[in-house]
Amino acid sequence: MKIIMNTDAFLKKGFEISTDNSKLDINLVYDFLINESYWATGMSAERLNKAIQNSLCFGIYHDKQQCGFARVVTDMATFAYLCDVFVLKNYRGMGLSKWLIQTIREHPELKGLRRWSLATADAHGLYEQFGFKVINRPERWMEIFTPYTTTADAL
């Protein structure tokens, strides 16, 4: 089942989604990732800045104030990894995360990719609405996982 979110309804309420990195509130993104996410504990601000510079980022804004974020690591031809997705607590329950994922999946630079991936501990239901499934043949996938050790981790 694919959800179709009405972009015009969000725009009329003062929301927008942008891929313009100059609009990002890097401090807000960093604060959320370090203090409220389970996946970025210990990441340094320098590492986040480098990640943002080398990714396609999507910010959600309400009256020009950032209220959500997502990052896509991609070659824009064959593969994309969706990560660092969040909507601030005061803006949850409004459909913004669905609108964000829909906008990402429909972005012209990301059309026709062979493979999308992501990792989530608790949002499977959201992503399944947009075609994500548990990895087929997980025995073929491998990883090297090195958790951040301090907020001053070296680049």
Side-chain angles (χ1 to χ4, degrees):
M1 176 174 134
K2 183 173 179 187
I3 302 295
I4 305 294
M5 301 303 293
N6 184 340
T7 295
D8 288 338
F10 287 107
L11 296 175
K12 287 177 184 174
K13 294 177 183 174
F15 289 98
E16 72 169 314
I17 294 177
S18 174
T19 58
D20 181 350
N21 282 4
S22 70
K23 292 182 175 186
L24 292 172
D25 181 340
I26 302 297
N27 292 329
L28 179 139
V29 173
Y30 183 71
D31 182 67
F32 183 92
L33 291 177
I34 294 307
N35 295 312
E36 297 188 47
S37 80
Y38 60 82
W39 62 87
T41 302
M43 179 191 292
S44 70
E46 294 80 15
R47 186 169 298 273
L48 175 62
N49 284 325
K50 187 173 185 178
I52 286 172
Q53 290 170 10
N54 291 292
S55 302
L56 179 58
C57 298
F58 293 77
I60 307 174
Y61 304 90
H62 183 246
D63 296 331
K64 303 191 189 295
Q65 297 295 310
Q66 189 165 353
C67 58
F69 179 78
R71 193 165 63 84
V72 179
V73 181
T74 182
D75 62 7
M76 296 188 186
T78 63
F79 179 82
Y81 174 68
L82 177 59
C83 56
D84 295 340
V85 179
F86 70 86
V87 173
L88 295 178
K89 286 180 186 174
N90 291 345
Y91 293 91
R92 293 180 189 163
M94 303 167 81
L96 291 170
S97 61
K98 292 177 185 176
W99 183 42
L100 176 61
I101 302 307
Q102 175 179 291
T103 300
I104 291 168
R105 293 280 290 132
E106 293 175 349
H107 190 278
E109 295 287 336
L110 304 175
K111 289 283 192 181
L113 299 180
R114 180 170 180 253
R115 185 177 312 272
W116 283 81
S117 70
L118 62 84
T120 184
D122 56 4
H124 295 78
L126 167 65
Y127 298 113
E128 286 169 352
Q129 296 173 61
F130 296 93
F132 286 91
K133 299 176 183 167
V134 174
I135 289 178
N136 185 28
R137 295 185 235 158
E139 70 278 5
R140 292 185 179 188
W141 287 80
M142 299 178 72
E143 72 175 349
I144 296 172
F145 178 67
T146 309
Y148 304 114
T149 55
T150 70
T151 55
D153 61 323
L155 294 176

